[in-house]
Amino acid sequence: MRRASSVSLGTAALLLPLTLTACGTERSGTPDARPAHGKATVDRADLAARARAIETTTDMIYVIKAPGFEAARQSVGVHGDDGFSSAYVSKSGGIITLTVDRGTLNETNCPTASLQGAVEGKVMCERDGDSWYRTAAGAQGHEYALAKDGRVVRLGSDAKTVNRDTLRAAARSVHLGDERELDALLPPLRERGGSGPTERGDLPPVGDGAPDNRPPNAGG
């Protein structure tokens, strides 16, 4: 079942540091190195299955190259109905949150999209190359957003820990993940458990479905 996102990018950015601290920060490895799981080649079908396991598709998974930042694998997941989200962290505590959704971005709808801490209708959009730099008075967050092949990719961060130059450079590096990058980023299927419901051995095949907790061979 697809999950509809009810949490804004700003709220997610606030919660993310707590999540990464609680779970530890597992780095995804260097995407330019050999495949992360020791395989000489990468199976596209396996990558597609791993993407489906987090309720998205490989054509929604965009990545960045930001010096000093690495993707945190535990942050990887679906965004909205079938989009994608991940976070890149630095040793100094900076976090860049990447989200991908289907849609378009232009001067008309750019000011209406949510931004961390912004008052409705007060988001300011500044054209910067192929991207939009988005800020708001009083907001602690800032972001770069850009349109890519029918998707909108957003890179958000706390302005106090990640400055505009760093965020701009990350935005200019945005690209669709290749096989090696997907393999390094996507959790292996074995880490996610089974895809179906767990079978209950104590449920009788007939009747009202109440668990049967009697010892084996016990009388009725």
Side-chain angles (χ1 to χ4, degrees), residues 35-140:
H37 308 299
K39 298 172 289 187
T41 60
V42 180
D43 184 350
R44 292 293 303 184
D46 176 69
L47 293 176
R50 288 158 62 185
R52 286 195 301 272
I54 60 170
E55 302 184 41
T56 189
T57 53
T58 56
D59 62 349
M60 297 293 288
I61 302 177
Y62 283 76
V63 299
I64 61 173
K65 292 183 178 179
F69 288 79
E70 292 188 39
R73 175 171 285 168
Q74 68 268 32
S75 72
V76 172
V78 67
H79 185 263
D81 291 333
D82 63 346
F84 176 71
S85 66
S86 63
Y88 291 76
V89 299
S90 70
K91 292 182 179 179
S92 63
I95 300 174
I96 298 176
T97 303
L98 179 152
T99 63
V100 185
D101 290 295
R102 299 185 190 276
T104 59
L105 186 70
N106 51 50
E107 63 183 6
T108 300
N109 64 15
C110 180
T112 65
S114 63
L115 179 69
Q116 178 180 336
V119 178
E120 185 176 355
K122 299 297 184 180
V123 176
M124 294 169 285
C125 292
E126 175 189 337
R127 190 70 178 179
D128 189 346
D130 294 332
S131 308
W132 292 93
Y133 178 62
R134 307 181 68 243
T135 59
Q140 71 182 77

Side-chain angles (χ1 to χ4, degrees), residues 183-194:
D183 185 56
L185 188 62
L186 288 170
L189 291 174
R190 58 181 170 78
E191 291 185 359
R192 303 195 61 83

